[in-house]
Amino acid sequence: MVTRRRLLGTGLAAAGVGLTGASFTPLLAVDRAKASPAKAAKAANPPLFAVPLPKMPVLRPTFRTATADHYDVTMRPARREILPGIQTDLLTFDGNFPGATIKARTGRPVIVRQRNKLAVPTSVHLHGASVTQANDGDPMDTLAPGGERLYTYPNKQSHASLWYHDHAHHVESENVYRGLHGSYLLTDSLEESLPLPKGEYDVVLAIRDAHFDAAGQLVYVMDDQERTTLLVNGAPYPYFQVAARKYRLRFANMSNQRFYSLRLADGSDIVQVGSDGGLLERPHTTSSFLLSPGERVDAVVDFSRYAVAEKVVLENTLIFAGTPEQVGQVMRFDVVRTAPDPSSVPEVLRTLPALPAPTNERTITMQMDEGVAHPKGYMDGKSYDPARVDSSIRFGASEIWTVTNTNTRVPHNFHMHLVQFRVLERAGKPPAPGEAGLKDTVIVAAGETVKLQATFDSYRGTYLYHCHMLDHSAMGMMATMKIS
Ligand code: C2O
Ligand code: CU
Ligand code: CU
């Protein structure tokens, strides 16, 4: 069993991020229990390691031209078995939960026709991507029920493990929670030329939490502390049968609010090779890493250190909003066979361009009401207003943003649309190796300040920046930047 002491003592310190126990105290205890309609009738957690890890389907193009890959996707309600023997109602892309993985290549645009057969408006956002404003999935640029539209992704950026999700104003938090999220893997020749594990040994692990009522249906309550069932690729606490060789595991946190500190139960090495915006410059060997909502970590794990028939649990040592029994174990790797392994992790993965000289600096504060029944969220003291421009940026500028979480207990994270940025400092110190690469989402713990640099030289227009704890952004912790 994982104790609170252990999680505070090891996971966070090892991850080099200044989080404290207090920064994860379930904040809005006030009236929360009373507010939750399912409090009295919650489904028992399903058994651990009883179902296999679902392999995410890869979306097939409807057609390909000389210049682009075209896809058709329908957002529609669907029922799926998540808890044993129960059909759960979901909002899905094409009936898949999570949505199918889109595989793209740098230099080759992807065009997705999205049809909305749901009863709610949607706006599909490709998180981490550099796209024009019209294709960014802005909260106000919604697709009404019954409608359809094209989203064009130019894929001019380098390789990265991206993801897509709903972003419609005021409903994105619930829509994503109910199933509107999926992976988008962008590759390029640099990434392909490396001897990292490929094919069936390169696996997406989309982790999220959920709250099921006694009938096995998803409960959505803002800032719910009862989302205590963990799902990986849509399945509760699955097992994954692996060969005794290296795997590339693409961890993505698609939870609404939950932060994880992930480790293998035996504390053995995890070699982080990538973050939100693609490969790190050099691999970083660690025994644990943090993953906040929206963040991705690509890691290589060598299961050849285990004998066939050994099993190793992926643990979460960041225990809040749930007990260690509920949220302390995520999935299990079962080593079931040997396999040849021509893969390796090179000492140098890529070279990131040097940061340009900054042309402007600004400060941002993130805050939400603490200890009130109906909290609101703020960026620079203001709740989100789509009619307001909060930050005006000159096209071509390279800016240093100093982002401070002014809450004393609640953690936040900071996500910018359009750009991949670099973390310059966390709490006055250089970033830990795991967040020294390209990032689009970064943890900002309670009371903490993170300094980052972003360069706005791709597209003009208005784009969002926000806390990616989606309940927080839905409470107003979201703002608009205008690049012109
Ligand atoms: Cu995942 Cu506004 O983003
Ligand atoms: Cu985004
Ligand atoms: Cu937040």
Side-chain angles (χ1 to χ4, degrees):
M1 190 168 98
V2 183
T3 64
R4 194 163 181 90
R5 173 168 296 279
R6 181 158 148 223
L7 84 90
L8 298 175
T10 60
L12 303 180
V17 174
L19 301 174
T20 66
S23 52
F24 286 94
T25 308
L27 155 75
L28 301 154
V30 197
D31 289 340
R32 199 57 53 185
K34 278 175 260 162
S36 172
K39 180 69 181 169
K42 191 171 159 184
N45 252 5
L48 297 174
F49 322 130
V51 292
L53 175 78
K55 219 179 126 193
M56 290 294 88
V58 174
L59 199 63
R60 278 210 225 100
T62 315
F63 62 97
R64 301 163 62 98
T65 66
T67 52
D69 294 344
H70 293 252
Y71 293 89
D72 280 88
V73 175
T74 302
M75 291 175 270
R76 60 177 174 85
R79 317 193 82 195
R80 287 282 167 274
E81 180 173 320
I82 300 173
L83 304 179
I86 297 175
Q87 294 288 320
T88 298
D89 289 315
L90 299 163
L91 307 185
T92 69
F93 293 102
D94 285 334
N96 295 308
F97 176 67
T101 299
I102 295 178
K103 291 204 171 178
R105 219 171 178 289
T106 297
R108 189 170 167 82
V110 159
I111 299 170
V112 183
R113 178 182 303 278
Q114 290 280 1
R115 292 188 173 83
N116 183 0
K117 299 242 168 90
L118 298 168
V120 288
T122 59
S123 179
V124 182
H125 169 61
L126 182 55
H127 178 124
S130 176
V131 304
T132 64
Q133 180 188 328
N135 292 286
D136 192 46
D138 186 84
M140 306 309 288
D141 188 7
T142 54
L143 181 54
E148 64 174 65
R149 60 157 293 172
L150 300 179
Y151 287 95
T152 298
Y153 304 126
N155 297 324
K156 286 190 187 146
Q157 67 203 101
S158 56
H159 69 269
S161 303
L162 307 177
W163 67 297
Y164 58 95
H165 61 81
D166 179 59
H167 221 310
H169 194 34
H170 280 320
V171 288
E172 81 277 42
S173 179
E174 179 162 3
N175 283 353
V176 175
Y177 176 77
R178 293 194 181 281
L180 292 181
H181 54 78
S183 288
Y184 183 109
L185 304 181
L186 178 62
T187 192
D188 60 12
S189 48
L190 175 130
E191 183 184 43
E192 282 172 340
S193 71
L194 298 176
L196 295 168
K198 290 183 171 66
E200 65 174 301
Y201 304 109
D202 176 1
V203 179
V204 169
L205 298 175
I207 304 175
R208 56 160 294 176
D209 59 4
H211 174 181
F212 294 95
D213 67 15
Q217 298 306 317
L218 285 173
V219 176
Y220 178 79
V221 179
M222 194 86 122
D223 204 39
D224 193 357
Q225 305 295 322
E226 302 284 337
R227 297 172 188 148
T228 54
T229 304
L230 303 187
L231 309 177
V232 185
N233 295 354
Y237 312 101
Y239 64 84
F240 180 30
Q241 295 192 323
V242 295
R245 54 154 286 162
K246 287 187 280 307
Y247 280 70
R248 177 173 181 180
L249 303 174
R250 303 198 195 219
F251 294 92
N253 185 349
M254 299 189 189
S255 309
N256 185 306
Q257 304 214 90
R258 183 174 295 281
F259 287 50
Y260 302 85
S261 180
L262 299 172
R263 70 191 292 275
L264 295 165
D266 62 355
S268 62
D269 285 353
I270 296 171
V271 181
Q272 185 182 348
V273 293
S275 59
D276 306 333
L279 294 169
L280 301 173
E281 293 197 292
R282 292 170 174 279
H284 164 56
T285 300
T286 182
S287 57
S288 70
F289 60 92
L290 284 166
L291 204 61
S292 73
E295 284 189 297
R296 288 87 66 211
V297 159
D298 278 20
V300 173
V301 171
D302 190 353
F303 294 103
S304 74
R305 67 171 79 102
Y306 305 107
V308 169
E310 278 193 86
K311 301 170 196 303
V312 60
V313 171
L314 180 71
E315 292 182 343
N316 168 36
T317 56
L318 202 44
I319 308 298
F320 71 107
T323 64
E325 289 72 21
Q326 292 166 323
V327 300
Q329 300 182 82
V330 180
M331 64 179 289
R332 192 179 67 194
F333 299 98
D334 296 0
V335 182
V336 295
R337 61 188 170 96
T338 57
D341 187 0
S343 74
S344 62
V345 179
E347 262 170 58
V348 176
L349 297 161
R350 80 189 302 183
T351 308
L352 292 169
L355 283 165
T359 55
N360 191 28
E361 300 205 18
R362 63 182 85 225
T363 58
I364 305 285
T365 60
M366 307 180 77
Q367 194 187 6
M368 68 179 283
D369 297 327
E370 296 190 36
V372 302
H374 299 286
K376 287 179 79 174
Y378 313 91
M379 299 292 264
D380 290 323
K382 288 173 258 180
S383 286
Y384 176 63
D385 177 353
R388 190 181 64 221
V389 170
D390 299 282
S391 295
S392 298
I393 297 167
R394 190 176 53 72
F395 181 80
S398 188
E399 300 202 343
I400 293 179
W401 289 32
T402 301
V403 183
T404 299
N405 174 349
T406 60
N407 277 104
T408 54
R409 292 161 66 204
V410 203
H412 299 299
N413 68 12
F414 182 76
H415 169 53
M416 289 171 105
H417 285 211
L418 181 67
V419 291
Q420 291 287 339
F421 53 76
R422 302 285 298 276
V423 178
L424 304 178
E425 278 178 23
R426 168 179 296 287
K429 297 198 202 73
E435 57 181 9
L438 297 177
K439 293 285 290 169
D440 55 49
T441 308
V442 66
I443 293 173
V444 191
E448 199 176 45
T449 295
V450 172
K451 216 179 244 217
L452 54 93
Q453 185 170 346
T455 303
F456 301 89
D457 58 0
S458 55
Y459 298 106
R460 294 177 161 84
T462 58
Y463 295 88
L464 298 173
Y465 52 97
H466 58 91
C467 180
H468 215 289
M469 298 167 79
L470 290 177
D471 285 338
H472 291 187
S473 50
M475 289 170 198
M477 200 181 292
M478 183 153 79
T480 300
M481 56 186 180
K482 181 169 187 179
I483 299 122
S484 49

